[in-house]
Amino acid sequence: MILKRHRVHIHLVSGLFFLALVLILATSIILFVRLQPVGDIGTARKGVVSEQTLVKNNTTHYPVFHDPKIDAVMETYVKGESLAFEKATEHKKDVRNHLAITYELRQFGTRTATVGFTRLESIVGEPDRISRKDVVIDLIEKREIGAKDIIQQTPTARRNLAYLLHDYFKQQTSMSLTPAQLVGLLDIQLTDITDISLSANDVIFSLNPYNPKSSEGKAFIAISRPLLKGIINDAYSVTDPNVKPVSEQSAQFRIVSQPPKGNTINPAGKLIALTFDDGPSDATPQLLDALDAYQSQATFFVLGHLASTYAATLQRMVREGNEIGNHTWNHPNLRLQNQAGLDSQILATQSAIQAATGGYTPVLVRPPYGFTNSAVKQYLASHGLKEALWNADTNDWKDRDPQVIYDRIMTDARDGQVILIHDIYPASVQAATRAIRDLKIQGYQIVTVSELYKYR
Ligand code: ZN
């Protein structure tokens, strides 16, 4: 009896041992298979990155870029962590202590690569500890870069960044601060920001909504790169066309447009919305200059087929707080479209605008010629879109005379008015530029259509 029991016990032990062996083997195979694609990451630099493993009483993986300087950064990090772990466990030696470092190559382009390390520390008798660290590498300068390299070190840049973030912080916290107070607070706290990483389309900030400087309770907030022009250094602001988004970090919150100016609008004052259809065109930047100079915002109902050509202009519209509306792909009569036709006119335009701006999604649609019906309205509503017509038409396409168009804008100007202009005619842009100045002199607040709808 005793002997038999003993044998069962041995069988159990060897069985477990065998099972462990199989598991280790399977894990290695899975790891090997899973890590294989790492070698081909980035079409631009095929084969440049491979994998290195450091095994001691720990399992550590890190990417190898086959560049002595960059590889030294990686090795310094993992070996440093390894040494720190050995030191921490010096007096509690146990074969079951284990340090595991894994990584994800989050973004890999011609200029930068972001490596996200995850560190799992298991010490017997203590709860497991997980920590993460993103290492951003400048592949041209061959060194690790941080917030101080990526963010422009000027008060204006910091303030504009604080402004982009303030809406998020207002939503997350119960702080009853005015936007200006919140921006001021953030501005001070952003001086020392350290946690920053790059993804294909965004710059990701890891911040604590209650105390942006604290390392506890951090949230990942992504800001689309086009919005950060003038805030981060140009080398890092453009979406790299050669970038391979390996695995996008999932941010809890993504900022793709300027926070609404709503809280600076005085609803008791005169409000007017200028709308510009059929563009963008080469004349549009002149209009944006005038809007910017007079702290005004307009709404641009753009055509989908022009979005990629005028991507920089669309990005500027968004950055300066203007609204972009959907004016279909190529200006057909929507009443004559079937379901597939509406999809290719409306949804394709939404996608083109999103692609050009780094994620901005229009909420307003202006049917060409104002031609609409219940089917069109129902279609738009089913996609969460709102129809936006006008109540004053400059007929600028008929009379391409700056004086005539200017006079019509000024004659039609009234509180709550939505004025139709086209930014594809230089005469219209010239007239509107003058009208923006004179409307401001007359005390109008020139706002976007969505903002006007909020109050009128
Ligand atoms: Zn039109």
Side-chain angles (χ1 to χ4, degrees):
M1 254 333 251
I2 288 162
L3 194 74
K4 203 178 172 195
R5 237 190 227 168
H6 193 61
R7 280 185 56 174
V8 168
H9 186 65
I10 286 173
H11 277 209
L12 192 68
V13 169
S14 58
L16 277 175
F17 184 70
F18 179 70
L19 192 70
L21 258 180
V22 168
L23 270 176
I24 288 168
L25 204 68
T27 313
S28 323
I29 291 167
I30 290 166
L31 264 181
F32 180 73
V33 170
R34 206 179 76 82
L35 292 169
Q36 268 308 296
V38 172
D40 329 295
I41 274 163
T43 39
R45 295 166 167 258
K46 207 170 173 68
V48 170
V49 181
S50 61
E51 157 105 4
Q52 179 69 269
T53 320
L54 195 72
V55 183
K56 263 189 164 178
N57 60 332
N58 54 44
T59 329
T60 309
H61 298 270
Y62 61 97
V64 177
F65 290 81
H66 303 286
D67 175 276
K69 282 186 180 167
I70 300 174
D71 292 341
V73 173
M74 296 294 135
E75 279 162 27
T76 304
Y77 171 71
V78 291
K79 286 181 180 160
E81 292 298 317
S82 208
L83 279 175
F85 181 74
E86 271 172 45
K87 210 165 165 217
T89 54
E90 219 168 31
H91 303 295
K92 11 182 168 172
K93 286 214 183 298
D94 190 308
V95 286
R96 291 168 297 170
N97 289 342
H98 191 85
L99 172 72
I101 295 180
T102 53
Y103 73 92
E104 269 186 324
L105 198 49
R106 292 226 173 93
Q107 168 269 334
F108 187 72
T110 43
R111 175 86 207 199
T112 56
T114 303
V115 183
F117 285 105
T118 302
R119 185 180 178 285
L120 168 65
E121 188 182 280
S122 312
I123 298 174
V124 172
E126 291 178 24
D128 285 358
R129 272 190 291 268
I130 294 180
S131 59
R132 294 189 170 83
K133 180 181 165 62
D134 284 341
V135 177
V136 183
I137 304 287
D138 186 314
L139 297 167
I140 294 169
E141 291 180 13
K142 300 184 187 306
R143 64 183 182 97
E144 182 179 358
I145 52 168
K148 287 216 152 57
D149 303 287
I150 297 168
I151 302 173
Q152 288 185 19
Q153 298 299 304
T154 64
T156 317
R158 222 175 45 219
R159 238 187 137 65
N160 290 341
L161 177 59
Y163 185 73
L164 279 173
L165 290 164
H166 91 274
D167 224 32
Y168 166 77
F169 281 86
K170 212 174 163 56
Q171 284 175 34
Q172 297 301 307
T173 64
S174 48
M175 290 190 272
S176 55
L177 299 172
T178 66
Q181 286 170 324
L182 193 53
V183 168
L185 184 71
L186 277 170
D187 180 30
I188 297 163
Q189 289 169 323
L190 286 172
T191 47
D192 229 10
I193 190 173
T194 50
D195 269 356
I196 193 166
S197 68
L198 303 175
S199 80
N201 302 307
D202 302 325
V203 177
I204 299 160
F205 299 86
S206 169
L207 298 166
N208 177 327
Y210 291 93
N211 175 8
K213 263 180 153 173
S214 163
S215 58
E216 299 291 315
K218 281 188 168 181
F220 291 101
I221 305 151
I223 303 182
S224 91
R225 292 202 200 200
L227 271 186
L228 291 164
K229 201 168 160 39
I231 296 175
I232 62 176
N233 286 312
D234 284 349
Y236 310 117
S237 69
V238 281
T239 302
D240 186 342
N242 293 311
V243 85
K244 178 123 176 187
V246 182
S247 75
E248 285 284 293
Q249 185 171 41
S250 55
Q252 284 100 323
F253 195 81
R254 185 162 186 252
I255 298 169
V256 294
S257 62
Q258 282 287 343
K261 295 262 191 294
N263 19 36
T264 58
I265 291 171
N266 170 19
K270 291 188 285 187
L271 301 178
I272 195 166
L274 301 182
T275 63
F276 298 94
D277 289 14
D278 299 3
S281 78
D282 293 343
T284 309
Q286 191 197 323
L287 203 50
L288 290 170
D289 290 344
L291 289 163
D292 189 42
Y294 292 97
Q295 287 108 48
S296 298
Q297 276 78 40
T299 305
F300 294 87
F301 289 98
V302 306
L303 295 176
H305 81 93
L306 295 173
S308 64
T309 310
Y310 289 97
T313 307
L314 292 175
Q315 287 169 17
R316 188 178 161 196
M317 288 173 184
V318 174
R319 212 160 49 233
E320 294 176 356
N322 297 288
E323 181 164 17
I324 298 176
N326 182 328
H327 196 38
T328 74
W329 186 262
N330 59 359
H331 219 270
N333 176 353
L334 289 183
R335 287 177 194 154
L336 306 177
Q337 301 294 316
N338 59 16
Q339 179 78 22
L342 287 171
D343 283 350
S344 61
Q345 287 297 331
I346 305 297
L347 300 186
T349 300
Q350 292 291 92
S351 305
I353 293 167
Q354 284 171 335
T357 56
Y360 180 94
T361 309
V363 293
L364 300 179
V365 173
R366 174 169 284 171
Y369 322 101
F371 288 168
T372 181
N373 57 24
S374 59
V376 171
K377 284 182 207 289
Q378 208 181 332
Y379 176 87
L380 295 181
S382 74
H383 287 94
L385 295 163
K386 228 172 14 185
E387 192 174 83
L389 298 176
W390 58 88
N391 41 33
D393 188 348
T394 56
N395 281 308
D396 56 342
W397 56 275
K398 264 191 260 171
D399 308 284
R400 310 221 188 137
D401 179 332
Q403 185 61 46
V404 172
I405 301 164
Y406 167 84
D407 289 340
R408 284 188 190 141
I409 297 172
M410 299 312 284
T411 310
D412 285 337
R414 264 189 303 281
D415 176 49
Q417 209 75 321
V418 177
I419 300 185
L420 169 62
I421 314 164
H422 295 85
D423 56 331
I424 51 169
Y425 308 121
S428 303
V429 169
Q430 217 180 311
T433 301
R434 215 177 123 203
I436 289 163
R437 181 197 63 190
D438 293 346
L439 288 168
K440 285 295 277 192
I441 291 170
Q442 293 186 10
Y444 280 96
Q445 300 170 86
I446 304 172
V447 299
T448 65
V449 172
S450 282
E451 283 170 332
L452 187 81
Y453 284 175
K454 239 189 282 172
Y455 302 107
R456 297 289 185 270

